[in-house]
Amino acid sequence: QKKKVKILYADIIYIESQQEYIKVVTTKKTYFSKLTTSEMESLLPSHLFKRIHRSYIVSINKIDSYTADAVEAGGISIPIGRSFRTIFKNL
């Protein structure tokens, strides 16, 4: 609806790419935006958010657990892309 909404970094759980939109899942609500995943990634502080898959960006503070293949955040299992697995060696 072309409405601008203020979303606090602390509220974001993860961001998912969905064709020409992105879905921003927060602790309160889910929002959709016309930005690309790369555009959104460039707007977020890299010390708080990590891209873990070509379609997902996750808030580091919201990660409950992770394996070599997936991250658990906010009760949702999010896959880790093969080329993004080295990120977790540095956390």
Side-chain angles (χ1 to χ4, degrees):
Q1 297 175 352
K2 302 203 185 222
K3 185 194 305 185
K4 296 197 186 262
V5 178
K6 181 178 180 179
I7 301 173
L8 301 176
Y9 293 143
D11 291 340
I12 299 173
I13 300 171
Y14 68 92
I15 297 155
E16 178 183 358
S17 174
Q18 295 197 326
Q19 295 167 345
E20 73 264 8
Y21 291 93
I22 57 167
K23 177 170 77 170
V24 180
V25 178
T26 71
T27 54
K28 298 171 183 150
K29 196 174 173 185
T30 298
Y31 301 94
F32 291 90
S33 175
K34 269 277 211 198
L35 293 171
T36 66
T37 310
S38 295
E39 289 170 336
M40 181 57 104
E41 183 179 22
S42 69
L43 295 172
L44 296 168
S46 62
H47 67 283
L48 295 176
F49 296 90
K50 295 294 179 197
R51 190 160 189 174
I52 61 165
H53 188 277
R54 114 185 129 82
S55 299
Y56 291 95
I57 299 171
V58 70
S59 170
I60 294 171
N61 296 330
K62 298 288 191 275
I63 295 174
D64 299 320
S65 63
Y66 65 90
T67 66
D69 301 319
V71 164
E72 182 91 16
I76 304 295
S77 181
I78 302 168
I80 299 172
R82 263 183 269 143
S83 59
F84 297 92
R85 291 195 177 137
T86 57
I87 290 169
F88 289 96
K89 291 178 182 171
N90 302 325
L91 288 182

